[in-house]
Amino acid sequence: MQKRRIAIGVAVLAGAVTLAACGSNDKKASDSATSPASDSKPAASSVAWPAPADASAQVKAAGLPMLGQEGQVLHIHSHLDVYVDGKQVTVPADIGIDLNKQQISPLHTHDTSGVVHIESPVKADFTLGEFMTEWNVPITKDSLGPLKTGGGKELHVYVNGKEQSGDPAALKLAAHDEIAVVYGSPATKVQVPTSYNWPQGL
């Protein structure tokens, strides 16, 4: 699998500001290392939540700063899969990145692989709730963006295949965790991934 480096740069009066992505891949790797059907993937969902037009506003809503470059004091990655009614929702590129202002949140995506980059100039805990707010798809125990639980619909969150209890927004993003957010009817079965096949360098 070939690594891809993405560099974003713009000239300014004082020089050039560059936001350089660490090695990432814009294609999904295998879902579950233990699944017999890891070579098959769920159909794409009709639900589409694009990256926000105003990334800076959403980062501010999440309570996070915008930076001139990626931080290196904390540099880890988590992977996120989102399923709605049994179908996979694409996690878009450029969540947490303001291309116009050439600024970047310590919590962001570079591509549609579902890899969440946590690259901070200070050691801190970052949460699923912060990332989902940056995406403008806030998550609570009872909702996923505009989707509500009840009426036969449920919301479940898994980490490395294990279901989590409590407030999903408070879930800490840890290195190489596979996080799955599943919304829909219990009758609609989803093969929850237990791991992610990380590309070399992540």
Side-chain angles (χ1 to χ4, degrees):
M1 187 177 295
Q2 187 176 4
K3 289 194 297 181
R4 179 183 176 195
R5 288 184 65 86
I6 303 172
I8 307 168
V10 63
V12 294
L13 291 178
V17 177
T18 303
L19 307 179
C22 62
S24 60
N25 196 300
D26 61 2
K27 186 176 179 182
K28 286 272 186 179
S30 63
D31 287 327
S32 171
T34 59
S35 167
S38 59
D39 57 343
S40 62
K41 297 181 180 176
S45 175
S46 59
V47 172
W49 292 316
D54 190 341
S56 292
Q58 288 305 127
V59 172
K60 182 179 180 180
L64 297 177
M66 289 300 273
L67 311 170
Q69 62 184 7
E70 294 164 320
Q72 294 299 321
V73 173
L74 177 66
H75 187 176
I76 60 174
H77 306 86
S78 297
H79 186 264
L80 176 64
D81 284 299
V82 177
Y83 302 90
V84 172
D85 295 327
K87 297 180 179 179
Q88 194 159 20
V89 178
T90 298
V91 178
D94 298 330
I95 295 172
I97 298 178
D98 192 320
L99 297 173
N100 293 325
K101 296 180 180 178
Q102 287 293 287
Q103 292 183 321
I104 190 167
S105 166
L107 191 58
H108 57 270
T109 63
H110 288 291
D111 52 41
T112 59
S113 65
V115 172
V116 179
H117 297 249
I118 301 105
E119 297 166 1
S120 171
V122 297
K123 287 191 176 295
D125 290 338
F126 295 90
T127 66
L128 179 62
E130 289 170 333
F131 178 76
M132 299 302 284
T133 297
E134 287 190 343
W135 187 5
N136 200 23
V137 184
I139 189 170
T140 71
K141 291 179 66 175
D142 306 314
S143 64
L144 176 63
L147 306 176
K148 309 298 182 185
T149 59
K153 301 288 187 177
E154 298 179 353
L155 178 63
H156 301 275
V157 176
Y158 302 83
V159 176
N160 303 323
K162 296 180 180 179
E163 185 167 4
Q164 306 297 297
S165 59
D167 180 7
L171 179 67
K172 178 182 173 181
L173 302 178
H176 286 189
D177 270 352
E178 161 58 41
I179 301 167
V181 175
V182 181
Y183 173 89
S185 166
T188 304
K189 300 301 181 184
V190 170
Q191 187 172 319
V192 175
T194 60
S195 64
Y196 179 69
N197 186 14
W198 291 95
Q200 185 177 359
L202 287 187

